[in-house]
Amino acid sequence: MPPPAYQQQQSRTRHLLTVDGSQQWLELHVGSNVIGRGQDADLRLPDTGVSRRHVDVRFDGVGAVLAVQRPGGAGPVGDEGVVAPGGEHLGLGGGVGPDAAPDQAPPALGALGDRRVALLAMGLTLLPLGVAAVALLVAVGGEYTPSSHHALIEMQTRSVGRHEVLVGLYSRDLWNHPGPAQFFLLAPFYWLTGGMSVGINLGALAVNAAAVAGMALVARRLGGTPLMLVTLVCCSLLMRAVGAELLRDPWNCYLTMLPYGLLVMLAWAMWRREAWALPVAAVVAIYPAHSHVGFVVLATPLLAWGLLGLAATTILEPDAGERRPALRRGVRAVAVTAGVVALGAVPLALDAVRHTPSNATEVVRYFRHTDEPVHSLATGWHVMVGQLGLSPEWLTSKRAPNIIGESPFVGGAPVPWLLAAVAVAAVVLGRRVAGSRSLVATLAVALALGVVAVARTLGPPLDHRPRWTVALGVLAGVRLGAGRGGGPRPTWRGA
């Protein structure tokens, strides 16, 4: 009979299985071990390219037999190389020996290493914004006095909690932008600094930092850490190109740039059947739509596009067993989104009740009855694809506007080689990379909306207005930099 110590060591031996290209591990137990997309899977891979019960690993305590599930007998499933017939993409460990401490086991090392890489990359990307915040507090402090638009922003932010704030920033066209979301976001930072003017700039840095972090987290959700790293690199290049002065500027033309990029990412996530992205996208869409009237025709259709994708991918789910829980998640997301939209509409409704004419009436009247000229679709196309050439502004540096302050791309734009490369990647990799075509389609919708929005701009297309166009260039760069994608996505409980 073996000694007690030996028995204790034997009981600690574990058999582990990992999916190649991911940081996910499964401790095998004797019997059936299911890998798939279903809620009852032992190792869950929430990807539309994986079936509900994709693989069944049958373990007898010594060896394992791999059974690949084929829905309807149509052959192997999985367009990302998650699992292939024969198990060549599955790593099966013989066990974690008794001398290994629990925190030294491969699953702990893999997950911990992945999290450390993600956190380190996120921290390094956001570090310049933190440095800018410290510099504002230490070097500027209470000595800064804003003027022009910045003074108006501080005045309305100061009114939050003291007076009624129902509309956005004053426009040169004798009306205000639709809603006060910007001031409610900036107010906590203004209060924390004791009412110093730089508190508004600290709030701007925080909004941009949250947008970058949000894009990175969505990328990690959809493509794992590799896609997150590509996204952070592209965002870093953009922040370097525009500089700290713009990133800390609270003006509504600038402080909507990065949140718009996050909205596009969330619209893509909905096409990947991520129900949680719908209410989050609604929150993100309300902010730019409140802050600048131009985003009403940019953010609202993007939200509708994402909702269409979520509905289509849920209803057309081929796995009947997964369709019902997916529908329940979708219904919950729609209900929460309805509440979010209703909350965002409260200031506009109150303004309509208490003021005659309301600010919304004045805005509609201005756009319906104006003598200012609009622009051609060609002008809108030039401005949009200016960020999709070989040396776009987000990758190099900001170009100077023309002599009357218009976008440098109004008269013509470089050949959109980046756009062509994205289109080629969609054709070549579309069938092999889950989500590739839905991302390209989302970028195409955003591009088309941008062309129309720029073309319908009243008055000259001044350079500060379409600053948000760089976000689409960044996301096109993310698509190209992702290559074949990051492999299986990390699992979030309840996703």
Side-chain angles (χ1 to χ4, degrees):
M1 182 174 180
Y6 177 77
Q7 290 181 332
Q8 184 179 6
Q9 288 182 339
Q10 284 288 92
S11 66
R12 295 174 59 189
T13 300
R14 296 184 293 166
H15 297 269
L16 308 170
L17 180 145
T18 179
V19 179
D20 184 40
S22 79
Q23 299 294 339
Q24 295 176 261
W25 293 76
L26 172 66
E27 182 175 352
L28 295 177
H29 56 267
V30 175
S32 174
N33 299 267
V34 176
I35 301 174
R37 195 180 68 237
Q39 296 285 350
D40 58 344
D42 297 290
L43 179 61
R44 188 164 179 254
L45 301 173
D47 195 301
T48 54
V50 178
S51 62
R52 189 166 173 264
R53 295 176 62 88
H54 197 66
V55 166
D56 187 2
V57 181
R58 297 161 190 169
F59 183 55
D60 62 4
V62 179
V65 176
L66 177 66
V68 179
Q69 309 295 314
R70 296 175 173 86
V77 180
D79 59 358
E80 287 189 271
V82 175
V83 179
E88 62 267 25
H89 285 80
L90 288 177
L92 180 60
V96 180
D99 293 333
D103 60 348
Q104 294 174 328
L109 281 176
L112 182 59
D114 183 71
R115 285 195 297 270
R116 284 179 174 173
V117 169
L119 288 173
L120 178 61
M122 183 84 78
L124 290 176
T125 303
L126 300 180
L127 180 61
L129 300 180
V131 172
V134 173
L136 282 174
L137 286 173
V138 175
V140 180
E143 298 180 4
Y144 167 63
T145 301
S147 61
S148 187
H149 290 94
H150 300 97
L152 292 175
I153 292 172
E154 181 174 348
M155 288 175 61
Q156 290 186 264
T157 302
R158 182 188 298 169
S159 295
V160 174
R162 299 180 179 181
H163 306 287
E164 190 178 73
V165 182
L166 301 177
V167 296
L169 186 63
Y170 177 76
S171 169
R172 65 180 177 85
D173 300 305
L174 305 181
W175 40 261
N176 290 65
H177 288 281
Q182 178 182 9
F183 311 127
F184 285 103
L185 277 178
L186 298 177
F189 301 92
Y190 189 67
W191 298 334
L192 287 173
T193 56
M196 288 196 302
S197 297
V198 293
I200 305 294
N201 302 94
L202 293 177
L205 289 171
V207 170
N208 284 322
V212 171
M215 284 190 279
L217 292 174
V218 173
R220 187 168 187 263
R221 169 64 173 165
L222 299 180
T225 301
L227 186 59
M228 175 186 182
L229 296 178
V230 171
T231 302
L232 288 174
V233 168
C234 291
C235 288
S236 297
L237 292 171
L238 170 61
M239 291 191 293
R240 182 204 64 82
V242 300
E245 184 175 355
L246 186 143
L247 293 172
R248 65 173 181 254
D249 195 320
W251 194 20
N252 57 348
C253 291
Y254 298 156
L255 199 51
T256 47
M257 177 181 66
L258 288 171
Y260 176 69
L262 174 58
L263 179 60
V264 176
M265 290 282 284
L266 289 167
W268 174 40
M270 284 185 268
W271 276 90
R272 298 296 305 279
R273 215 186 65 183
E274 300 287 353
W276 59 267
L278 178 59
V280 176
V283 173
V284 175
I286 286 172
Y287 165 68
H290 269 211
S291 302
H292 196 288
V293 68
F295 280 95
V296 174
V297 296
L298 287 170
T300 307
L302 261 182
L303 184 63
W305 166 257
L307 176 59
L308 173 64
L310 179 62
T313 55
T314 300
I315 294 172
L316 299 177
E317 164 61 45
D319 191 331
E322 180 65 16
R323 191 182 304 123
R324 180 170 295 179
L327 283 171
R328 286 197 298 267
R329 291 193 295 271
V331 169
R332 288 197 299 266
V334 170
V336 174
T337 302
V340 169
V341 172
L343 184 62
V346 167
L348 284 72
L350 290 176
D351 179 66
V353 169
R354 298 179 182 179
H355 301 96
T356 303
S358 67
N359 182 64
T361 300
E362 293 286 0
V363 172
V364 172
R365 182 181 299 166
Y366 170 77
F367 282 98
R368 291 186 61 184
H369 308 286
T370 180
D371 296 328
E372 293 193 63
V374 293
H375 308 279
S376 66
L377 291 176
T379 299
W381 172 260
H382 290 156
V383 172
M384 292 301 301
V385 301
Q387 305 300 332
L388 299 171
L390 288 179
S391 58
E393 291 180 319
W394 64 270
L395 192 59
T396 54
S397 61
K398 182 72 185 73
R399 297 186 184 182
N402 63 21
I403 193 171
I404 60 174
E406 295 178 330
S407 168
F409 304 110
V410 167
V415 177
W417 293 110
L418 184 57
L419 179 63
V422 168
V424 171
V427 174
V428 174
L429 300 177
R431 293 186 179 274
R432 290 185 289 163
V433 181
S436 174
R437 290 183 176 178
S438 58
L439 172 58
V440 174
T442 301
L443 290 175
V445 168
L447 177 63
L449 290 172
V451 170
V452 174
V454 173
R456 298 299 300 173
T457 299
L458 298 180
L462 299 176
D463 186 45
H464 62 262
R465 287 179 170 177
R467 195 61 62 90
W468 49 269
T469 58
V470 297
L472 291 185
V474 168
L475 295 180
V478 168
R479 173 61 196 90
L480 287 183
R484 289 194 70 251
R489 301 173 295 174
T491 301
W492 288 0
R493 187 176 299 276

